[in-house]
Amino acid sequence: MFDALVVSKDEDSGKTSAAVTQLGLEDLPAGDVTVAVEYSTVNYKDGLCVGPGGGLVRNYPHVPGIDFAGTVEASDDDRYKPGDKVVLTGWRVGEAHWGGYAQKARVKADWLVPLPDGLDTRAAMAVGTAGFTAMLAVMALEDHGIKDGPVLVTGAAGGVGSVATAILANLGHKVAGVTGRPETADYLTSLGASQIVSREEINETVKRPLEAETWGGCVDAVGGAMLARVLGQMQYGASVAAVGLAGGAGLPGTVIPFLLRGVNLLGIDSVMQPFDNRVRAWKRIASDLPMGKLEAMIQPATLSDLPQLGADILQGQVKGRVVVDVNA
């Protein structure tokens, strides 16, 4: 038997509830590889899944947790053997398939990535899906060429923004971190941000299709109106890697930044990345993310903390990376 955070749904009322309970291996869904989970994280999607509305959950009962890292316990696939350290992000784990909020998980071998040298399982989940997404965004900016000048990171105090800030600064770029919480300025500076920009400062600039060419690149973890505003502030030929929808899926702007300034809008999807790109991103994380700065991002948690943390992240109250020790 093992512990798991299970979300259940009352068929009569439609209400959902989450509680730590015990399961057996026979309860796990089908898969090629059984993993002894060590750490998971809390992401925005997890908040939706754990919350009272059930969010993105496809079936009940359900174990949320959209990523995890641990040790292979049993495998029907030759690529993975007992004792191998692995990490998983994406593939609708924690939404359509049971995820990381349990001490055991069973998944398809194709969904896993070998943990690269330089990362242990705790560090991998300090990075997690958010950090993996941040690295994909940085790689996309590099592929299109980062211009001279500061690189803007919106939602900089969140999971994606925190890791993107640390990576970009470590690579030698000047980073301007956008935050709506002034109290996070010292935190962002500790990650390497050389400039702190208030959310109001971005939102209150002149509302024209094109403004002064300011940013040499951007990792946008917010979307919506802020993304539309930022597009008009990019340098000629610069790129915006868009990863988040916290500000909404709409884009209330015009095509002018694309036509007259050659701005590139790069959409980043971390869910179903090809295996080779996932391996490349995790190796880059191990080499280019300053591990010492990970500790400043970490907020430790246990399975019993998750219902409250799910609500907190939906309200924008979580700073950095929540690392869930599922065995604590």
Side-chain angles (χ1 to χ4, degrees):
M1 302 296 288
F2 58 90
D3 290 340
L5 182 81
V6 178
V7 178
S8 303
K9 183 176 183 179
D10 184 280
E11 294 298 331
D12 294 328
S13 66
K15 292 182 179 180
T16 61
S17 59
V20 178
T21 188
Q22 284 206 315
L23 300 174
L25 289 174
E26 67 277 6
D27 297 315
L28 293 174
D32 307 310
V33 182
T34 301
V35 178
V37 178
E38 296 167 19
Y39 296 96
S40 185
T41 63
V42 178
N43 296 276
Y44 193 81
K45 287 182 179 179
D46 296 318
L48 293 172
C49 292
V50 174
L56 305 172
V57 174
R58 307 287 179 84
N59 46 63
Y60 294 94
H62 183 74
V63 175
I66 67 169
D67 51 24
F68 63 78
T71 303
V72 172
E73 192 170 84
S75 175
D76 295 326
D77 190 287
D78 291 339
R79 289 172 291 178
Y80 297 101
K81 296 177 174 57
D84 289 349
K85 298 292 186 179
V86 292
V87 60
L88 184 149
T89 61
W91 306 102
R92 304 298 180 194
V93 167
E95 300 172 41
H97 188 94
W98 283 13
Y101 291 169
Q103 293 171 332
K104 309 287 184 184
R106 186 181 291 136
V107 297
K108 292 183 179 180
D110 288 342
W111 298 352
L112 297 168
V113 173
L115 196 66
D117 293 339
L119 286 180
D120 58 24
T121 52
R122 181 174 180 271
M125 284 297 98
V127 176
T129 294
F132 172 68
T133 304
M135 179 52 81
L136 291 175
V138 171
M139 287 163 48
L141 291 182
E142 291 175 338
D143 289 344
H144 286 76
I146 299 176
K147 307 298 180 182
D148 292 335
V151 179
L152 191 72
V153 178
T154 69
V160 174
S162 292
V163 181
T165 298
I167 291 172
L168 287 164
N170 193 53
L171 291 171
H173 299 286
K174 293 182 178 179
V175 181
V178 181
T179 179
R181 293 179 284 164
E183 67 274 14
T184 63
D186 289 344
Y187 167 71
L188 294 176
T189 301
S190 74
L191 297 181
S194 57
Q195 180 181 352
I196 307 299
V197 182
S198 71
R199 186 166 54 200
E200 291 73 20
E201 190 175 341
I202 293 290
N203 288 335
E204 291 178 2
T205 52
V206 178
K207 298 180 181 180
R208 295 174 180 170
L210 291 179
E211 300 173 29
E213 295 185 42
T214 304
W215 315 115
C218 174
V219 175
D220 174 60
V222 177
M226 182 173 288
L227 172 57
R229 194 69 48 78
V230 166
L231 289 170
Q233 301 172 10
M234 303 304 296
Q235 295 179 16
Y236 187 88
S239 301
V240 177
V243 305
L245 296 174
L251 186 60
T254 75
V255 298
I256 291 178
F258 309 111
L259 296 181
L260 301 185
R261 201 171 279 175
V263 174
N264 303 300
L265 180 58
L266 313 173
I268 307 300
D269 177 20
S270 66
V271 174
M272 298 180 68
Q273 286 285 321
F275 180 78
D276 288 348
N277 212 39
R278 285 184 284 140
V279 171
R280 177 188 169 210
W282 279 106
K283 286 183 176 179
R284 283 287 307 273
I285 287 167
S287 64
D288 294 339
L289 177 61
M291 293 299 122
K293 292 184 179 179
L294 278 177
E295 289 300 323
M297 303 182 200
I298 292 174
Q299 177 180 337
T302 66
L303 290 177
S304 61
D305 296 326
L306 290 170
Q308 181 59 51
L309 284 169
D312 290 345
I313 199 168
L314 294 180
Q315 297 172 9
Q317 299 302 311
V318 173
K319 180 182 74 174
R321 304 290 299 127
V322 177
V323 177
V324 182
D325 183 348
V326 301
N327 296 297

